[in-house]
């Protein structure tokens, strides 16, 4: 079972940039848990996932699938062969789609990566959700309902803002994972993230995994920034 951890978002455009970054960590005893998103996966394909896995990293493959259940099921069964540790879908694809994703991801021997769902993207404001998407509920009620749907479909947890992790845990139980981006050091740059908090506070509120990109990837010393993040989040 995966334990609480810091996940570094490898938001790089190529394998070359990614390995240049990862080489900095080659003497680290603790191999960082990495997130591979759409940019890197679409640029380099499954080969990059296999190579990063070969180097001994745990991987969260963040492709946010959202399509009809049959298509998602088949896509997930292809992704299950990559042997990642965690992957995801959009909860708005419905409970049926999430169940299909879970079925597709489960290998013949019954094993599978963790499957989590995106509730509402943190880039979606309550105003836009209500006016463009015609969802009349509040953003918090929507997030809680999507998290409950995710649990009902049998998935393992959700991606949400660290500030929402507490209410998700309250609604879905403490075993239900929360994976939270939007984390910044107290003395760091916020960038384009809006609802942010620190690693230590994220843990207090209920995050199981924090996804951290630029505070580590753009730091003058990424290894030191990673170590600081782990120390603050895990209290080690
Ligand atoms: O650089 P930064 O720490 O902001 O990176 C956060 C990572 O988490 C990025 O890969 C971003 O795409 C992702 N993410 C997010 N908010 C979400 C879902 C994913 O910031 N709601």
């Amino acid at each position: 079972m995966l334990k609480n951890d810091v996940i570094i978002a490898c938001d790089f455009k190529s394998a070359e940039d990614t390995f240049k970054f990862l080489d900095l960590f080659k003497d680290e005893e603790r191999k960082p848990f990495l997130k591979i998103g759409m940019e890197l996966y679409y640029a380099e394909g499954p080969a990059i996932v296999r190579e990063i896995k070969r180097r001994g990293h745990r991987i969260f493959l963040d492709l946010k699938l959202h399509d009809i259940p049959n298509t998602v099921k088949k896509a997930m069964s292809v992704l299950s062969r990559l042997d990642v540790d965690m992957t995801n879908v959009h909860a708005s694809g419905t409970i049926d789609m999430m169940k299909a994703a879970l079925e597709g991801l489960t290998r013949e021997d019954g094993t599978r990566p963790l499957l989590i769902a995106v509730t509402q993207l943190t880039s979606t404001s309550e105003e836009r959700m209500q006016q463009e998407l015609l969802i009349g509920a509040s953003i918090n009620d929507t997030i809680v309902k999507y998290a409950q749907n995710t649990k009902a479909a049998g998935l393992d947890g959700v991606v949400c803002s660290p500030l929402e992790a507490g209410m998700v845990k309250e609604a879905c139980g403490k075993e239900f994972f929360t994976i939270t981006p939007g984390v910044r050091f107290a003395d760091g740059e916020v960038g384009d993230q809006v609802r942010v908090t620190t690693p230590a506070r994220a843990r207090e509120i209920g995050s199981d995994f924090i996804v951290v990109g630029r505070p580590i990837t753009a730091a003058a010393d990424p290894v030191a920034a990673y170590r600081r993040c782990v120390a603050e989040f895990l209290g080690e």
Side-chain angles (χ1 to χ4, degrees), residues 6-21:
V6 172
I7 302 178
I8 305 179
C10 285
D11 294 325
F12 298 112
K13 63 179 186 321
S14 67
E16 196 188 343
D17 290 359
T18 307
F19 293 127
K20 210 164 111 194
F21 174 75

Side-chain angles (χ1 to χ4, degrees), residues 1 34 37 50 108 112 120 135 159 166 181 191 193 209 224 227:
M1 201 56 181
L34 305 174
R50 291 195 196 99
E108 271 180 18
R112 63 168 176 83
Q120 279 289 344
I135 295 173
V159 185
Q193 293 281 14
F209 295 89
R227 286 185 187 151

Side-chain angles (χ1 to χ4, degrees), residues 48-192:
I48 186 99
V49 179
R50 291 195 196 99
E51 176 55 20
I52 290 178
K53 192 78 201 173
R54 197 189 62 72
R55 291 182 175 218
H57 295 275
R58 287 153 294 158
I59 299 174
F60 166 24
L61 188 59
D62 179 23
L63 299 180
K64 301 189 178 72
L65 275 66
H66 187 177
D67 207 316
I68 59 171
N70 188 51
T71 303
V72 169
K73 180 177 168 180
K74 289 182 169 168
M76 278 299 182
S77 104
V78 175
L79 293 179
S80 76
R81 292 183 219 138
L82 283 177
D83 193 25
V84 297
D85 300 276
M86 187 188 291
T87 191
N88 61 357
V89 294
H90 270 284
S92 54
T94 75
I95 292 177
D96 274 354
M97 189 207 76
M98 290 192 273
K99 282 183 175 165
L102 199 61
E103 252 181 79
L105 194 62
T106 306
R107 306 180 189 103
E108 271 180 18
D109 63 1
T111 62
R112 63 168 176 83
L114 285 182
L115 183 60
I116 59 173
V118 176
T119 52
Q120 279 289 344
L121 292 170
T122 45
S123 51
T124 307
S125 67
E126 183 167 74
E127 189 188 10
R128 281 182 184 241
M129 186 191 77
Q130 293 177 341
Q131 290 176 9
E132 286 180 25
L133 308 181
L134 298 184
I135 295 173
S138 70
I139 193 132
N140 283 353
D141 286 353
T142 309
I143 287 161
V144 165
K145 176 65 177 157
Y146 285 18
Q148 287 167 329
N149 290 351
T150 303
K151 191 177 178 192
L155 275 61
D156 305 296
V158 291
V159 185
C160 59
S161 142
L163 305 170
E164 291 147 9
M167 65 187 194
V168 167
K169 290 276 186 190
E170 217 170 278
C172 300
K174 68 178 190 334
E175 305 300 321
F176 189 70
F177 285 123
T178 54
I179 289 88
T180 68
V183 173
R184 292 293 180 263
F185 292 121
D187 53 4
E189 298 265 328
V190 172
D192 57 352

